[in-house]
Amino acid sequence: MDEKNQVEPAIGMAEGAGHFSLEANDDASLEKTDPVSAWTPDGEQTVTPATGGSPDEDSVIAAIATVYDPEIPVNIYELGLIYAIDLHDDGSVKVEMTLTAPNCPSAQELPLQVKEAVEKIDTVTSATVEIVWEPPWDMSRMSEDARLALNMF
């Protein structure tokens, strides 16, 4: 097979029932040169990445908190969509997350935004985001701040 006909694996290949994963990518366009920033209902916010050493949970959470569901004015961390964050000494990070519903209109973009936000942290060498459906998300996973913002007590 010549080089023109080789197909590069797509980001976000289905891994089986109930799982979707975004693997690390060697794409030069995803360089970690810019600070993590995102629009929020309170305006633009920037996360200062950590420098040196292995990634720390606070930096990863801060990066993830810059990602908002476009239909809900609360970041996905406060919504309770992040189920696990695995930090490794080699700088790799694995994030397990879910969506509010399997037919979520943002199902393609939110995991990619999480991956890109985490990979912008200086100490992160690669990030993998896996969508899981067990346990299913429900409103009890939301933080108190999220409930207040959405007026859901």
Side-chain angles (χ1 to χ4, degrees), residues 9-100:
I11 293 176
M13 299 297 291
E15 289 190 341
H19 285 45
F20 178 84
S21 181
L22 293 172
E23 298 296 331
N25 183 327
D26 291 334
D27 187 350
S29 67
L30 297 176
E31 296 278 331
K32 295 178 257 182
T33 56
D34 299 326
V36 176
S37 65
W39 181 89
T40 70
D42 298 324
E44 188 79 16
Q45 291 183 350
T46 302
V47 174
T48 305
T51 55
S54 59
D56 66 276
E57 188 174 38
D58 290 339
S59 295
V60 174
I61 290 171
I64 291 170
T66 66
V67 179
Y68 280 72
D69 184 312
E71 297 176 337
I72 304 172
V74 175
N75 73 64
I76 65 168
Y77 187 80
E78 295 293 326
L79 279 175
L81 298 181
I82 304 302
Y83 283 4
I85 299 171
D86 296 328
L87 307 172
H88 302 276
D89 291 337
D90 65 355
S92 63
V93 176
K94 179 182 178 187
V95 177
E96 288 184 8
M97 67 175 286
T98 194
L99 302 169
T100 54

Coordinates of all heavy atoms in Angstrom, one line a residue, residues 9-100:
P9 N -5.6 6.7 11.5 CA -6.7 6.4 12.4 C -7.3 7.7 12.9 O -6.7 8.7 13.2 CB -6.1 5.7 13.6 CG -4.7 5.4 13.3 CD -4.3 6.2 12.0
A10 N -8.6 7.8 12.9 CA -9.4 9.0 13.3 C -9.3 9.1 14.8 O -9.3 8.1 15.6 CB -10.8 8.9 12.9
I11 N -9.3 10.3 15.3 CA -9.5 10.6 16.7 C -10.9 10.2 17.1 O -11.8 10.6 16.4 CB -9.2 12.1 17.0 CG1 -7.8 12.5 16.7 CG2 -9.6 12.4 18.4 CD1 -7.5 13.9 16.9
G12 N -11.0 9.5 18.2 CA -12.4 9.2 18.6 C -13.0 7.9 18.0 O -14.1 7.9 17.6
M13 N -12.2 6.9 18.0 CA -12.7 5.6 17.5 C -13.6 4.9 18.6 O -13.2 4.9 19.8 CB -11.6 4.7 17.1 CG -10.7 5.2 16.0 SD -11.6 5.5 14.5 CE -11.9 3.8 14.0
A14 N -14.7 4.3 18.2 CA -15.5 3.6 19.2 C -14.7 2.4 19.7 O -14.0 1.7 18.9 CB -16.8 3.1 18.6
E15 N -14.8 2.1 21.0 CA -14.0 1.0 21.6 C -14.9 -0.1 22.0 O -14.4 -1.1 22.6 CB -13.2 1.5 22.8 CG -12.1 2.4 22.4 CD -11.2 2.7 23.6 OE1 -11.6 2.5 24.8 OE2 -10.0 3.1 23.4
G16 N -16.1 -0.1 21.8 CA -17.0 -1.1 22.2 C -18.2 -0.5 22.9 O -18.4 0.7 23.0
A17 N -19.1 -1.4 23.3 CA -20.4 -0.9 23.9 C -20.1 0.0 25.0 O -19.5 -0.3 26.0 CB -21.2 -2.1 24.3
G18 N -20.7 1.2 24.9 CA -20.6 2.2 26.0 C -19.3 2.9 26.2 O -19.1 3.6 27.1
H19 N -18.4 2.8 25.2 CA -17.1 3.4 25.4 C -16.7 4.2 24.1 O -16.9 3.7 23.0 CB -16.0 2.4 25.7 CG -16.0 1.9 27.1 ND1 -17.2 1.6 27.8 CD2 -15.0 1.8 28.0 CE1 -16.9 1.2 29.0 NE2 -15.6 1.3 29.2
F20 N -16.1 5.3 24.3 CA -15.6 6.1 23.2 C -14.3 6.7 23.7 O -14.2 7.2 24.8 CB -16.6 7.2 22.9 CG -16.2 8.1 21.8 CD1 -16.4 7.8 20.5 CD2 -15.6 9.3 22.1 CE1 -16.0 8.7 19.5 CE2 -15.2 10.2 21.1 CZ -15.4 9.9 19.8
S21 N -13.2 6.7 22.9 CA -11.9 7.2 23.4 C -11.3 8.1 22.4 O -11.3 7.9 21.2 CB -11.0 6.0 23.7 OG -9.8 6.4 24.2
L22 N -10.7 9.1 23.0 CA -9.8 10.0 22.2 C -8.4 9.8 22.6 O -8.0 10.0 23.7 CB -10.2 11.5 22.5 CG -11.6 11.9 22.0 CD1 -11.9 13.3 22.5 CD2 -11.6 11.9 20.5
E23 N -7.6 9.2 21.7 CA -6.2 8.9 22.0 C -5.3 10.0 21.7 O -5.6 10.9 21.0 CB -5.8 7.6 21.2 CG -6.6 6.4 21.4 CD -6.5 5.9 22.9 OE1 -5.4 6.1 23.5 OE2 -7.4 5.3 23.3
A24 N -4.1 10.0 22.3 CA -3.1 11.0 22.1 C -2.8 11.0 20.6 O -2.9 10.0 19.9 CB -1.8 10.6 22.9
N25 N -2.4 12.2 20.1 CA -2.3 12.4 18.7 C -0.9 13.1 18.5 O -0.6 14.0 19.3 CB -3.4 13.3 18.2 CG -3.4 13.6 16.8 OD1 -2.4 13.7 16.2 ND2 -4.6 13.7 16.2
D26 N -0.2 12.8 17.5 CA 1.1 13.4 17.2 C 0.9 14.7 16.4 O 1.9 15.2 15.9 CB 2.0 12.4 16.5 CG 2.5 11.3 17.4 OD1 2.5 11.6 18.7 OD2 2.8 10.3 16.9
D27 N -0.3 15.1 16.2 CA -0.6 16.3 15.3 C 0.1 17.5 15.8 O -0.1 17.9 17.0 CB -2.1 16.5 15.3 CG -2.5 17.6 14.3 OD1 -1.6 18.3 13.7 OD2 -3.7 17.7 14.0
A28 N 1.0 18.1 15.0 CA 1.7 19.3 15.4 C 0.8 20.5 15.7 O 1.2 21.4 16.4 CB 2.7 19.7 14.4
S29 N -0.4 20.5 15.2 CA -1.3 21.6 15.4 C -1.8 21.6 16.9 O -2.4 22.6 17.3 CB -2.5 21.5 14.4 OG -3.3 20.4 14.8
L30 N -1.6 20.6 17.6 CA -2.1 20.5 19.0 C -0.9 20.8 20.0 O -0.9 20.4 21.1 CB -2.7 19.1 19.3 CG -3.9 18.8 18.5 CD1 -4.3 17.3 18.9 CD2 -5.0 19.7 18.8
E31 N 0.1 21.6 19.5 CA 1.2 22.0 20.4 C 0.7 22.7 21.6 O -0.3 23.4 21.6 CB 2.1 22.9 19.6 CG 2.8 22.3 18.4 CD 4.0 21.5 18.8 OE1 4.6 21.8 19.8 OE2 4.3 20.6 18.0
K32 N 1.4 22.5 22.7 CA 1.0 23.1 24.0 C 1.7 24.5 24.1 O 2.5 24.7 25.1 CB 1.4 22.2 25.1 CG 0.7 20.9 25.1 CD 1.2 20.1 26.3 CE 2.1 19.0 25.7 NZ 2.6 18.1 26.6
T33 N 1.4 25.4 23.2 CA 2.0 26.7 23.3 C 1.1 27.8 23.9 O 1.6 28.8 24.4 CB 2.5 27.2 21.9 OG1 1.3 27.2 21.0 CG2 3.5 26.2 21.3
D34 N -0.2 27.6 23.9 CA -1.1 28.6 24.3 C -1.6 28.2 25.7 O -1.8 27.1 26.0 CB -2.3 28.8 23.4 CG -1.8 29.2 22.0 OD1 -0.9 30.0 21.9 OD2 -2.5 28.7 21.0
P35 N -1.8 29.2 26.6 CA -2.5 28.9 27.9 C -3.9 28.4 27.6 O -4.5 28.8 26.6 CB -2.5 30.2 28.6 CG -2.3 31.3 27.6 CD -1.6 30.6 26.4
V36 N -4.4 27.6 28.5 CA -5.8 27.2 28.4 C -6.7 28.3 28.7 O -6.6 29.0 29.7 CB -6.1 26.0 29.4 CG1 -7.5 25.6 29.3 CG2 -5.1 24.8 29.1
S37 N -7.6 28.6 27.8 CA -8.6 29.6 28.0 C -9.9 29.2 27.3 O -9.9 28.4 26.4 CB -8.2 31.0 27.5 OG -8.0 30.9 26.1
A38 N -11.0 29.7 27.9 CA -12.3 29.4 27.3 C -13.3 30.5 27.7 O -13.1 31.2 28.7 CB -12.8 28.1 27.8
W39 N -14.3 30.7 26.9 CA -15.4 31.6 27.2 C -16.2 31.0 28.2 O -16.5 29.8 28.2 CB -16.2 31.9 25.9 CG -17.3 32.9 26.3 CD1 -17.1 34.2 26.2 CD2 -18.6 32.6 26.8 NE1 -18.3 34.8 26.6 CE2 -19.2 33.8 27.0 CE3 -19.3 31.5 27.0 CZ2 -20.5 33.9 27.5 CZ3 -20.6 31.6 27.5 CH2 -21.2 32.8 27.7
T40 N -16.6 31.8 29.2 CA -17.5 31.3 30.2 C -18.6 32.4 30.3 O -18.5 33.5 29.8 CB -16.8 31.2 31.6 OG1 -16.5 32.5 32.1 CG2 -15.6 30.3 31.5
P41 N -19.7 32.1 31.0 CA -20.7 33.2 31.2 C -20.2 34.4 31.9 O -20.7 35.5 31.8 CB -21.8 32.5 32.1 CG -21.6 31.0 31.8 CD -20.2 30.8 31.6
D42 N -19.1 34.3 32.7 CA -18.5 35.4 33.3 C -17.4 36.1 32.5 O -16.7 36.9 33.0 CB -17.9 35.0 34.7 CG -18.9 34.4 35.6 OD1 -20.0 34.9 35.6 OD2 -18.6 33.4 36.3
G43 N -17.2 35.6 31.3 CA -16.2 36.2 30.4 C -15.1 35.2 30.2 O -15.1 34.1 30.6
E44 N -14.0 35.6 29.5 CA -12.9 34.8 29.2 C -12.1 34.5 30.4 O -11.9 35.3 31.2 CB -12.0 35.5 28.2 CG -10.8 34.7 27.6 CD -11.3 33.8 26.5 OE1 -12.4 33.9 25.9 OE2 -10.5 32.9 26.2
Q45 N -11.7 33.2 30.6 CA -10.9 32.8 31.7 C -9.7 32.1 31.2 O -9.8 31.3 30.3 CB -11.7 31.8 32.7 CG -12.8 32.5 33.4 CD -13.5 31.5 34.3 OE1 -13.3 30.3 34.3 NE2 -14.4 32.1 35.2
T46 N -8.6 32.3 31.9 CA -7.3 31.7 31.5 C -6.8 30.8 32.7 O -6.9 31.3 33.8 CB -6.2 32.7 31.1 OG1 -6.7 33.5 30.1 CG2 -5.0 32.0 30.7
V47 N -6.3 29.6 32.4 CA -5.8 28.8 33.4 C -4.3 28.8 33.2 O -3.8 28.6 32.1 CB -6.3 27.3 33.2 CG1 -5.6 26.4 34.2 CG2 -7.8 27.3 33.4
T48 N -3.5 29.1 34.3 CA -2.1 29.1 34.2 C -1.6 27.7 34.4 O -1.8 27.0 35.4 CB -1.5 30.0 35.3 OG1 -2.0 31.3 35.2 CG2 0.0 30.0 35.1
P49 N -0.9 27.1 33.3 CA -0.5 25.7 33.5 C 0.7 25.6 34.5 O 1.4 26.5 34.7 CB 0.0 25.4 32.1 CG 0.1 26.6 31.3 CD -0.6 27.7 32.1
A50 N 0.8 24.4 35.1 CA 1.9 24.1 36.0 C 3.1 23.9 35.2 O 3.1 23.6 34.0 CB 1.5 22.8 36.7
T51 N 4.3 24.1 35.8 CA 5.5 23.9 35.1 C 6.4 22.9 35.8 O 6.4 22.9 37.0 CB 6.3 25.2 35.0 OG1 6.5 25.8 36.3 CG2 5.6 26.2 34.1
G52 N 7.0 22.0 35.0 CA 7.9 21.0 35.6 C 7.2 19.9 36.3 O 6.1 20.0 36.8
G53 N 7.8 18.7 36.4 CA 7.2 17.6 37.1 C 6.1 16.9 36.3 O 5.8 17.2 35.2
S54 N 5.4 16.0 37.1 CA 4.3 15.3 36.5 C 3.0 16.1 36.7 O 3.0 17.0 37.6 CB 4.2 13.9 37.1 OG 4.0 14.0 38.5
P55 N 2.0 15.9 35.9 CA 0.8 16.6 36.1 C 0.1 16.5 37.4 O 0.3 15.4 38.1 CB -0.2 16.1 35.0 CG 0.5 14.9 34.4 CD 1.9 14.8 34.9
D56 N -0.5 17.5 37.9 CA -1.2 17.5 39.2 C -2.7 17.6 39.0 O -3.1 18.2 38.0 CB -0.6 18.5 40.2 CG -1.0 19.9 39.8 OD1 -0.2 20.5 39.0 OD2 -2.0 20.4 40.3
E57 N -3.4 17.0 39.9 CA -4.9 16.9 39.7 C -5.5 18.3 39.7 O -6.4 18.5 38.9 CB -5.5 16.1 40.9 CG -6.9 15.8 40.7 CD -7.5 14.9 41.7 OE1 -7.1 15.0 42.9 OE2 -8.3 14.1 41.4
D58 N -5.0 19.3 40.5 CA -5.6 20.6 40.5 C -5.5 21.3 39.1 O -6.4 21.9 38.7 CB -5.0 21.5 41.6 CG -5.4 21.0 43.0 OD1 -6.4 20.3 43.1 OD2 -4.6 21.4 43.9
S59 N -4.3 21.1 38.5 CA -4.2 21.7 37.1 C -5.1 21.1 36.1 O -5.6 21.8 35.3 CB -2.7 21.6 36.7 OG -1.8 22.3 37.5
V60 N -5.2 19.8 36.2 CA -6.1 19.1 35.2 C -7.5 19.5 35.5 O -8.3 19.8 34.5 CB -5.9 17.5 35.4 CG1 -6.9 16.8 34.5 CG2 -4.5 17.2 35.0
I61 N -7.9 19.6 36.7 CA -9.3 20.0 37.0 C -9.6 21.4 36.5 O -10.6 21.7 35.9 CB -9.6 19.8 38.5 CG1 -9.7 18.3 38.9 CG2 -10.9 20.6 38.9 CD1 -9.8 18.1 40.4
A62 N -8.6 22.3 36.8 CA -8.7 23.7 36.3 C -8.9 23.7 34.8 O -9.7 24.5 34.3 CB -7.6 24.5 36.8
A63 N -8.1 22.9 34.1 CA -8.2 22.9 32.6 C -9.5 22.4 32.2 O -10.2 22.9 31.3 CB -7.1 22.0 32.0
I64 N -10.0 21.3 32.8 CA -11.3 20.7 32.4 C -12.4 21.7 32.7 O -13.4 21.8 32.0 CB -11.5 19.4 33.2 CG1 -10.5 18.3 32.6 CG2 -13.0 18.9 33.0 CD1 -10.5 17.0 33.5
A65 N -12.3 22.5 33.8 CA -13.3 23.4 34.2 C -13.5 24.6 33.2 O -14.4 25.3 33.3 CB -13.0 23.9 35.6
T66 N -12.6 24.7 32.2 CA -12.7 25.7 31.2 C -13.7 25.2 30.0 O -14.0 26.0 29.2 CB -11.4 26.1 30.5 OG1 -10.8 24.9 29.8 CG2 -10.4 26.6 31.6
V67 N -14.1 23.9 30.1 CA -14.9 23.4 29.1 C -16.4 23.5 29.5 O -16.7 23.0 30.6 CB -14.6 21.9 28.8 CG1 -15.5 21.3 27.7 CG2 -13.1 21.8 28.3
Y68 N -17.2 24.1 28.7 CA -18.6 24.3 29.0 C -19.5 23.5 28.0 O -19.2 23.6 26.8 CB -19.0 25.7 29.0 CG -18.6 26.5 30.3 CD1 -17.3 26.7 30.6 CD2 -19.6 26.9 31.2 CE1 -16.9 27.4 31.7 CE2 -19.2 27.5 32.4 CZ -17.9 27.8 32.6 OH -17.5 28.4 33.8
D69 N -20.6 22.9 28.5 CA -21.6 22.4 27.6 C -22.2 23.7 26.9 O -22.7 24.6 27.7 CB -22.6 21.6 28.3 CG -23.6 21.0 27.4 OD1 -24.2 21.7 26.5 OD2 -23.9 19.8 27.6
P70 N -22.3 23.8 25.6 CA -22.9 25.0 25.0 C -24.3 25.3 25.4 O -24.8 26.4 25.2 CB -22.7 24.7 23.5 CG -22.4 23.3 23.3 CD -21.9 22.8 24.6
E71 N -25.0 24.3 25.8 CA -26.4 24.5 26.2 C -26.7 24.8 27.7 O -27.8 25.1 28.1 CB -27.3 23.3 25.8 CG -27.3 23.0 24.3 CD -28.0 21.8 23.9 OE1 -28.1 20.9 24.8 OE2 -28.4 21.7 22.8
I72 N -25.6 24.6 28.5 CA -25.7 24.8 29.9 C -24.6 25.7 30.4 O -23.5 25.4 30.2 CB -25.6 23.4 30.6 CG1 -26.6 22.4 30.1 CG2 -25.8 23.5 32.1 CD1 -26.5 21.0 30.5
P73 N -25.0 26.8 31.2 CA -23.9 27.7 31.6 C -23.1 27.3 32.8 O -22.9 28.1 33.7 CB -24.8 29.0 31.9 CG -26.1 28.4 32.3 CD -26.3 27.2 31.5
V74 N -22.8 26.0 32.9 CA -22.0 25.5 33.9 C -20.9 24.6 33.3 O -21.1 23.9 32.4 CB -22.8 24.7 34.9 CG1 -22.0 24.0 36.0 CG2 -23.9 25.5 35.5
N75 N -19.6 24.7 33.9 CA -18.6 23.8 33.3 C -18.9 22.4 33.5 O -19.6 22.0 34.5 CB -17.2 24.3 33.8 CG -16.9 23.9 35.2 OD1 -16.8 22.7 35.6 ND2 -16.7 24.9 36.0
I76 N -18.3 21.5 32.7 CA -18.6 20.1 32.8 C -18.1 19.4 34.0 O -18.6 18.4 34.5 CB -18.1 19.3 31.5 CG1 -16.5 19.4 31.4 CG2 -18.7 19.9 30.3 CD1 -16.0 18.4 30.4
Y77 N -17.0 20.0 34.7 CA -16.6 19.4 36.0 C -17.6 19.6 37.0 O -18.0 18.7 37.8 CB -15.2 20.0 36.4 CG -14.6 19.3 37.6 CD1 -14.0 18.1 37.4 CD2 -14.8 19.9 38.8 CE1 -13.5 17.5 38.5 CE2 -14.3 19.2 39.9 CZ -13.6 18.0 39.8 OH -13.1 17.3 40.9
E78 N -18.2 20.8 37.1 CA -19.2 21.1 38.1 C -20.5 20.4 37.8 O -21.3 20.1 38.7 CB -19.5 22.6 38.2 CG -18.3 23.4 38.7 CD -18.0 23.2 40.2 OE1 -18.9 22.9 41.0 OE2 -16.8 23.2 40.5
L79 N -20.7 20.1 36.5 CA -21.9 19.3 36.2 C -21.8 17.8 36.6 O -22.8 17.1 36.6 CB -22.2 19.3 34.6 CG -22.8 20.6 34.1 CD1 -22.9 20.5 32.6 CD2 -24.2 20.7 34.7
G80 N -20.6 17.4 37.0 CA -20.4 16.0 37.4 C -20.2 15.1 36.2 O -20.4 13.9 36.4
L81 N -19.7 15.6 35.1 CA -19.5 14.7 33.9 C -18.2 14.0 34.0 O -18.0 13.1 33.2 CB -19.7 15.5 32.6 CG -21.0 16.2 32.4 CD1 -21.0 16.9 31.1 CD2 -22.1 15.1 32.4
I82 N -17.3 14.4 34.8 CA -16.0 13.8 34.9 C -16.0 12.7 36.0 O -16.3 13.0 37.2 CB -14.9 14.9 35.3 CG1 -14.9 16.0 34.2 CG2 -13.5 14.2 35.4 CD1 -14.6 15.5 32.8
Y83 N -15.8 11.5 35.6 CA -15.9 10.4 36.6 C -14.5 10.0 37.2 O -14.4 9.6 38.3 CB -16.5 9.2 35.9 CG -18.0 9.2 35.7 CD1 -18.7 10.3 36.1 CD2 -18.6 8.1 35.2 CE1 -20.1 10.4 35.9 CE2 -20.0 8.2 35.0 CZ -20.7 9.3 35.4 OH -22.1 9.3 35.2
A84 N -13.4 10.2 36.4 CA -12.1 9.8 36.9 C -11.0 10.5 36.1 O -11.2 10.9 35.0 CB -11.9 8.3 36.7
I85 N -10.0 10.8 36.9 CA -8.8 11.5 36.3 C -7.6 10.6 36.8 O -7.3 10.5 38.0 CB -8.6 12.9 36.8 CG1 -9.8 13.8 36.3 CG2 -7.3 13.5 36.2 CD1 -9.8 15.2 36.9
D86 N -6.9 10.0 35.8 CA -5.7 9.1 36.2 C -4.5 9.9 35.7 O -4.3 10.1 34.5 CB -5.8 7.8 35.5 CG -7.0 6.9 36.0 OD1 -7.3 7.1 37.2 OD2 -7.5 6.2 35.2
L87 N -3.6 10.2 36.6 CA -2.3 10.9 36.3 C -1.2 9.9 36.4 O -1.2 9.0 37.3 CB -2.1 12.0 37.4 CG -3.2 13.0 37.6 CD1 -2.9 13.9 38.8 CD2 -3.5 13.8 36.3
H88 N -0.3 9.9 35.4 CA 0.8 9.0 35.3 C 2.1 9.8 35.4 O 2.2 10.9 35.0 CB 0.7 8.2 34.1 CG -0.6 7.4 34.0 ND1 -0.8 6.2 34.6 CD2 -1.8 7.7 33.4 CE1 -2.0 5.8 34.4 NE2 -2.7 6.7 33.7
D89 N 3.2 9.1 35.9 CA 4.5 9.7 36.1 C 5.1 10.2 34.8 O 5.9 11.1 34.7 CB 5.4 8.8 36.8 CG 5.1 8.6 38.3 OD1 4.4 9.5 38.8 OD2 5.5 7.6 38.9
D90 N 4.7 9.5 33.7 CA 5.3 9.9 32.4 C 4.6 11.1 31.8 O 4.9 11.5 30.6 CB 5.2 8.7 31.4 CG 3.8 8.3 31.0 OD1 2.8 8.9 31.6 OD2 3.6 7.4 30.2
G91 N 3.7 11.7 32.5 CA 3.0 12.9 32.0 C 1.7 12.6 31.3 O 1.0 13.6 30.9
S92 N 1.3 11.4 31.1 CA 0.1 11.1 30.5 C -1.1 11.2 31.5 O -0.9 11.0 32.6 CB 0.1 9.7 29.8 OG 0.3 8.7 30.8
V93 N -2.2 11.5 30.9 CA -3.4 11.7 31.7 C -4.6 11.0 31.0 O -4.7 11.1 29.8 CB -3.8 13.2 31.9 CG1 -5.1 13.4 32.6 CG2 -2.7 14.0 32.6
K94 N -5.3 10.2 31.8 CA -6.5 9.6 31.3 C -7.7 10.2 32.0 O -7.7 10.2 33.2 CB -6.5 8.1 31.5 CG -7.7 7.4 30.9 CD -7.7 5.9 31.2 CE -9.0 5.3 30.7 NZ -9.1 3.9 31.0
V95 N -8.7 10.6 31.2 CA -9.9 11.2 31.8 C -11.1 10.3 31.4 O -11.3 10.0 30.2 CB -10.2 12.6 31.3 CG1 -11.5 13.2 31.9 CG2 -9.0 13.5 31.7
E96 N -11.9 9.9 32.4 CA -13.1 9.2 32.1 C -14.3 10.1 32.3 O -14.3 10.8 33.4 CB -13.3 7.9 33.0 CG -12.4 6.8 32.6 CD -12.6 5.6 33.4 OE1 -13.6 5.5 34.2 OE2 -11.8 4.6 33.3
M97 N -15.1 10.3 31.3 CA -16.2 11.2 31.5 C -17.5 10.6 30.9 O -17.4 9.6 30.2 CB -15.9 12.6 30.8 CG -15.8 12.5 29.3 SD -15.5 14.2 28.6 CE -17.2 14.9 28.7
T98 N -18.6 11.3 31.2 CA -19.8 10.9 30.6 C -20.5 12.1 30.0 O -19.9 13.2 30.0 CB -20.7 10.2 31.6 OG1 -21.8 9.5 30.9 CG2 -21.3 11.2 32.6
L99 N -21.6 11.9 29.4 CA -22.4 13.0 28.9 C -23.8 13.0 29.6 O -24.2 12.0 30.2 CB -22.6 12.9 27.4 CG -21.3 12.8 26.6 CD1 -21.6 12.4 25.2 CD2 -20.6 14.2 26.6
T100 N -24.5 14.1 29.5 CA -25.8 14.1 30.2 C -26.8 13.1 29.7 O -27.7 12.6 30.4 CB -26.4 15.5 30.2 OG1 -26.5 15.9 28.8 CG2 -25.6 16.5 31.0

